[in-house]
Amino acid sequence: MTHHLNPIKAYDRPSDCWLVISPVLWAIWIASIGTPKVTMLMLFLVGVVSAFALGRLLLAFMDHEVRQAKTKHIEMMALYLVITVICLLLLDWTTICLSVLGLLFGFFTLLTHKRRLLHDLLKMLTINWPVVLAFGAIEHQIPVIAWIIYAAACSLTLLQLLSKRQVHKDPSPLMLYAFFQVIRFVLLIFMGAFSGQNLWYFVGLLIILLMFIYQLIRWHDATKRVYQVHAWVDVLLMLGILLSYHY
């Protein structure tokens, strides 16, 4: 179980980190109408990555099989905790107050680590909460578009969980996967419409639709590849947002 010791595997698995960061980048760009402040961008990037690493270490620390690395875990957790708190305190009070709810989500996520379904649900709410924080920090309010992006990010988390399952003869995971893909695609359409994205964004959505079809076709024999496609989907979406604001 030594893979737990590295909080961001590649450090470990860079796609995991990107899938956490990408919805926050969408939120920052849309809330800033395409011109985010560098300081705000850096605060959220560093804060989200350190919080993500802290969460992985906390879950690993609660695993009895890695208790031999207890000292190392405490040192790394302290480091990431300090970085996360500093980034948070440099933001406004609206964001700090909103972060309390995210902290509660995270706390209950840790408590339910042995109850997989409830744990995954709380984890979904927790890791995507920075989307709401981004709007709180930039607009000092939480508009409808913030909740649409948050819902789209949560649907992505569900898709990640489903894409890690092998289907075999039971088609139900595939059916659920297709159902949540449709929901996510609809949410991304609303996201573009509510935020005033132009043709570039919707061209990106068309490519994402083709990738969605590819995922369904390759589900049975390439589950790992299906999982990796999520990262490329988010790259295309971010590229569409950038082009929409600058071209």
Side-chain angles (χ1 to χ4, degrees):
M1 300 288 288
T2 54
H3 63 282
H4 285 293
L5 302 181
N6 192 342
I8 310 180
K9 241 179 167 187
Y11 314 52
D12 197 66
R13 191 190 302 171
S15 59
D16 272 1
C17 198
W18 169 248
L19 290 170
V20 171
I21 292 173
S22 54
V24 183
L25 293 178
W26 309 340
I28 291 174
W29 248 265
I30 290 173
S32 304
I33 318 179
T35 55
K37 294 181 180 178
V38 176
T39 52
M40 186 67 68
L41 186 61
M42 293 306 298
L43 281 175
F44 269 92
L45 285 177
V46 174
V48 169
V49 171
S50 61
F52 174 63
L54 176 62
R56 290 191 62 167
L57 281 172
L58 284 169
L59 287 173
F61 183 72
M62 298 177 73
D63 190 335
H64 292 289
E65 296 183 34
V66 294
R67 287 295 175 86
Q68 66 271 19
K70 184 174 181 179
T71 303
K72 182 179 179 180
H73 268 71
I74 292 175
E75 292 173 353
M76 295 181 71
M77 283 190 291
L79 173 62
Y80 287 119
L81 178 61
V82 169
I83 293 173
T84 304
V85 170
I86 289 174
C87 290
L88 186 60
L89 291 178
L90 290 174
L91 299 172
D92 63 295
W93 281 105
T94 302
T95 312
I96 293 173
C97 292
L98 285 170
S99 68
V100 173
L101 185 54
L103 182 63
L104 290 174
F105 285 150
F107 176 72
F108 287 111
T109 300
L110 292 172
L111 289 182
T112 58
H113 72 286
K114 292 185 178 180
R115 300 180 181 180
R116 186 169 181 177
L117 182 61
L118 183 58
H119 172 78
D120 287 343
L121 177 61
L122 289 168
K123 180 180 178 182
M124 173 190 73
L125 297 174
T126 303
I127 65 176
N128 295 304
W129 193 246
V131 168
V132 178
L133 298 185
F135 276 90
I138 296 170
E139 294 193 3
H140 307 293
Q141 60 178 338
I142 313 300
V144 174
I145 184 63
W147 297 112
I148 293 175
I149 298 174
Y150 182 63
C154 288
S155 66
L156 170 61
T157 305
L158 287 174
L159 290 171
Q160 291 176 53
L161 296 172
L162 288 171
S163 63
K164 290 179 181 180
R165 298 180 182 178
Q166 296 293 339
V167 178
H168 301 299
K169 295 182 180 180
D170 182 7
S172 56
L174 177 59
M175 294 171 65
L176 282 172
Y177 185 83
F179 175 73
F180 284 117
Q181 270 285 23
V182 171
I183 290 177
R184 185 192 181 206
F185 194 75
V186 171
L187 287 170
L188 292 178
I189 293 174
F190 278 116
M191 176 175 147
F194 273 83
S195 60
Q197 303 298 310
N198 66 17
L199 183 63
W200 285 109
Y201 177 87
F202 293 97
V203 168
L205 279 189
L206 179 60
I207 298 173
I208 289 171
L209 178 61
L210 296 176
M211 296 180 76
F212 165 41
I213 296 171
Y214 166 81
Q215 287 176 307
L216 295 181
I217 293 173
R218 297 300 301 273
W219 175 275
H220 288 270
D221 60 349
T223 306
K224 186 175 181 181
R225 291 183 183 179
V226 167
Y227 174 75
Q228 292 171 342
V229 165
H230 290 301
W232 288 108
V233 167
D234 286 0
V235 169
L236 282 171
L237 199 61
M238 189 66 221
L239 184 60
I241 292 172
L242 289 173
L243 291 174
S244 290
Y245 281 118
H246 298 289
Y247 291 97

